[in-house]
Amino acid sequence: MKKIPELTALFWITKICATTLGETAGDLFSMTLNIGYAVSSIMFITFFFILVTIQLSVKKYIPVIYWFVILATSTAGTTLSDYMDRTLGLGYAMGSLLLVSLLLMTLFIWQHTQKSLSVANIQSPKAELFYWTAILFSNTLGTALGDYLADDSGLGFGGSALLIGCVLAVLLLLHYFSKVLAVFLFWVAFILTRPFGATFGDLLTKSLAKGGLGYGTKGATLILFSMLLILIIYEMRAKRILKK
């Protein structure tokens, strides 16, 4: 039942790529193609349910399935967060607080029923379902938190990236040189790598006049999707080589 990848540097790089792609793809559908936050959210949540059903049905870790579920949680999280914050008018701070509450409630129920929150030792479909529910909430929270830091806090994208980068560096040090619970460090890092990667997405999508590369949501989505495929193929080839 080993269906979760090892928490290596490759995991975090692929995670940042997948969740950044989720943001640009979510914005592409909801804003550039003018489908809207509500309809886009329904589309991506349906996509998530289909993929997570496939993920729950397989008996081993298959990189392409796993990372496409992560992508689905991120695209759904992007449009859901924007719908809550902008269409419903909750605002970034209230939206973030609500999502923190939902994530903590999921983790509490997970711990209470499964007696462990270890993401390295998920042994049952029920535990895996909790895992994906928590990831959906954490990626949605990452979007709301990133928007709050970039817009409402006054830090801007550069200041937000610097702040989150420093916090991630502290988490890395705590991982290697402290006895802080690994589960706590994982979920904080999982949430924060979402807005951290969003700065890369902004670099790709924003115009040259605003300091970006001017690819727009279409070009950025294509670039990030290509990068994600390359990382997945690399992981699959590396696993085959190791087995030999």
Side-chain angles (χ1 to χ4, degrees):
M1 286 289 291
K2 181 62 177 176
K3 299 173 63 178
I4 308 299
E6 298 292 335
L7 300 182
T8 62
L10 179 62
F11 171 88
W12 292 108
I13 293 170
T14 310
K15 192 270 179 183
I16 291 173
C17 180
T19 53
T20 305
L21 171 59
E23 175 163 345
T24 61
D27 289 343
L28 170 62
F29 279 84
S30 63
M31 293 189 289
T32 305
L33 299 180
N34 202 31
I35 293 177
Y37 298 127
V39 175
S40 297
S41 296
I42 293 172
M43 287 171 51
F44 291 130
I45 290 173
T46 302
F47 181 52
F48 164 72
F49 279 128
I50 293 171
L51 287 177
V52 82
T53 300
I54 296 173
Q55 168 68 19
L56 290 170
S57 68
V58 300
K59 301 301 181 183
K60 63 179 182 178
Y61 169 57
I62 302 175
V64 67
I65 297 177
Y66 177 89
W67 288 111
F68 269 75
V69 182
I70 292 288
L71 173 59
T73 65
S74 186
T75 48
T78 296
T79 54
L80 275 172
S81 174
D82 290 340
Y83 179 75
M84 291 168 54
D85 299 335
R86 300 171 187 176
T87 303
L88 296 182
L90 294 179
Y92 299 134
M94 183 59 68
S96 297
L97 182 60
L98 175 61
L99 289 163
V100 165
S101 301
L102 289 172
L103 177 58
L104 291 177
M105 181 176 67
T106 301
L107 294 175
F108 174 79
I109 298 172
W110 182 0
Q111 170 66 33
H112 182 71
T113 59
Q114 301 296 300
K115 309 305 179 185
S116 174
L117 292 175
S118 174
V119 297
N121 190 34
I122 293 177
Q123 297 292 330
S124 69
K126 189 173 183 180
E128 191 179 2
L129 188 58
F130 278 119
Y131 173 81
W132 287 113
T133 303
I135 283 183
L136 178 62
F137 285 143
S138 66
N139 274 334
T140 308
L141 171 59
T143 300
L145 180 61
D147 288 339
Y148 172 76
L149 291 174
D151 296 333
D152 289 2
S153 72
L155 290 174
F157 293 111
S160 299
L162 180 60
L163 174 62
I164 295 171
C166 290
V167 174
L168 289 173
V170 171
L171 293 177
L172 185 63
L173 291 174
L174 289 174
H175 171 69
Y176 284 108
F177 302 109
S178 78
K179 295 183 179 180
V180 177
L181 288 176
V183 170
F184 171 78
L185 294 176
F186 170 82
W187 286 110
V188 175
F190 201 95
I191 293 167
L192 292 180
T193 47
R194 174 69 177 81
F196 183 73
T199 58
F200 179 52
D202 291 326
L203 176 66
L204 292 173
T205 57
K206 288 189 177 298
S207 65
L208 295 174
K210 295 182 178 180
L213 297 177
Y215 289 110
T217 54
K218 294 180 181 179
T221 298
L222 180 60
I223 291 170
L224 289 163
F225 185 73
S226 300
M227 291 175 60
L228 179 61
L229 287 181
I230 290 170
L231 288 167
I232 291 173
I233 292 170
Y234 172 81
E235 181 181 1
M236 294 175 71
R237 286 178 60 88
K239 287 174 69 69
R240 282 198 294 266
I241 291 171
L242 288 173
K243 286 181 179 179
K244 293 179 180 178

